[in-house]
Amino acid sequence: MEPWHIGNTPLTSRFLLGTAGYPSPQVLRDAIIASGSQVLTLGLKRTLAVPGGGDNGFVDIIRTTAREQGAHLLPNTAGCRSAREAITLAHMARELLGTHWVKLEVVGDEQTLQPDPFELVDAARQLVSDGFEVLPYCTDDLVTCQRLVDAGCRVLMPWGAPIGSGLGLLNPWALRTLRARLPNTTLIVDAGLGAPSHATAAMELGVDAVLLNSAVSQSGDPVRMATAFRHAVQAGRTGFEAGLMPTSDVAVATTPVGGQPFLLL
């Protein structure tokens, strides 16, 4: 696949994978390898809460597998409820994990886990000023996304549906609008995807990549599902680059009959 970028870092895989909720360390490792992902997310609160580097060795596995694959770590601030909390956690991650990348999450609603747009923009502006490459998890609201770009974000991560819902793309029109209005911004659909077909549909809209976790970790066979998503992302991107046929509300004959060298009786 053609290279794309997060900040100044070139990547070829357009499938970003989360690392939470896998049934065992070995399944996690095998799923990461099967995915071909070059960006792995991990929750900072889980990483920092356990002395020695993570619960049951998961963080060590993530680091080791990332090194083996040449993948990058993308710590996230999942669980934060304010800009101040997210900023503090991001700085801790930079010191402990040695990366200036951060997936910025600031929860605004407990039921939907929808991001708080006001706290999110405030945190993004401060972290960009502090030298971070900020990847904010946001809704598909155009105005919020424009404010995040104004704050200095070069990458946005709009949701497809609420986290962990598996509902797929609830508002393809909004994502299509973001792609058209923010052509120079890297867009990664994050959250809500439940099936490989959802990833294909997202990529066909022209977004740059997808990120997911539960659709793989909570599946019956995470390793096979990681492989399925890997192919689905590639198929969607190839379809977008090839150019999808125009849609029509009425039937259009695929075999023209006018001007043919035979007579229809």
Side-chain angles (χ1 to χ4, degrees):
M1 300 181 75
E2 290 296 319
W4 63 293
H5 293 79
I6 290 180
N8 299 320
T9 301
L11 302 165
T12 52
S13 171
R14 295 176 182 267
F15 179 20
L16 287 68
L17 186 65
T19 56
Y22 287 80
S24 73
Q26 187 61 49
V27 171
L28 169 61
R29 184 180 186 280
D30 292 345
I32 291 172
I33 294 171
S35 73
S37 178
Q38 295 173 302
V39 179
L40 306 174
T41 67
L42 66 161
L44 292 177
K45 287 200 169 186
R46 182 181 70 176
T47 303
L48 303 178
V50 182
D55 52 348
N56 300 319
F58 271 74
V59 175
D60 292 335
I61 291 171
I62 296 167
R63 283 171 161 163
T64 300
T65 309
R67 262 195 315 271
E68 292 172 351
Q69 292 201 170
H72 303 269
L73 296 181
L74 176 60
N76 67 62
T77 63
C80 290
R81 267 63 180 176
S82 69
R84 181 178 180 180
E85 184 182 9
I87 291 168
T88 300
L89 203 54
H91 278 274
M92 293 174 68
R94 183 161 65 178
E95 294 299 319
L96 291 174
L97 300 177
T99 178
H100 68 291
W101 287 7
V102 63
K103 179 188 171 188
L104 179 61
E105 300 185 37
V106 184
V107 174
D109 180 77
E110 296 301 321
Q111 183 173 350
T112 64
L113 299 181
Q114 181 171 329
D116 183 323
F118 306 102
E119 295 291 310
L120 188 67
V121 172
D122 286 347
R125 184 179 295 110
Q126 182 60 56
L127 289 172
V128 168
S129 176
D130 293 342
F132 285 86
E133 187 71 56
V134 180
L135 288 71
Y137 167 61
C138 54
T139 65
D140 52 21
D141 177 69
L142 175 61
V143 175
T144 299
C145 289
Q146 287 175 324
R147 296 293 180 269
L148 288 165
V149 171
D150 293 342
C153 297
R154 298 188 286 181
V155 181
L156 300 179
M157 306 185 82
W159 68 1
I163 292 174
S165 67
L167 293 173
L169 305 182
L170 294 184
N171 195 346
W173 176 86
L175 294 171
R176 191 179 296 113
T177 300
L178 289 180
R179 179 71 293 164
R181 295 290 299 275
L182 301 172
N184 298 318
T185 300
T186 298
L187 298 179
I188 303 172
V189 170
D190 175 21
L193 304 186
S197 58
H198 299 160
T200 300
M203 296 302 297
E204 287 173 347
L205 294 174
V207 301
D208 297 281
V210 300
L211 188 155
L212 55 91
N213 187 162
S214 300
V216 171
S217 67
Q218 303 304 307
S219 69
D221 187 335
V223 178
R224 293 185 69 187
M225 189 60 74
T227 302
F229 270 102
R230 178 180 185 172
H231 294 312
V233 170
Q234 292 174 341
R237 181 64 187 184
T238 301
F240 171 74
E241 292 175 342
L244 303 178
M245 66 171 285
T247 59
S248 173
D249 292 331
V250 297
V252 179
T254 57
T255 304
V257 296
Q260 298 299 313
F262 54 82
L263 178 64
L264 296 178
L265 301 177

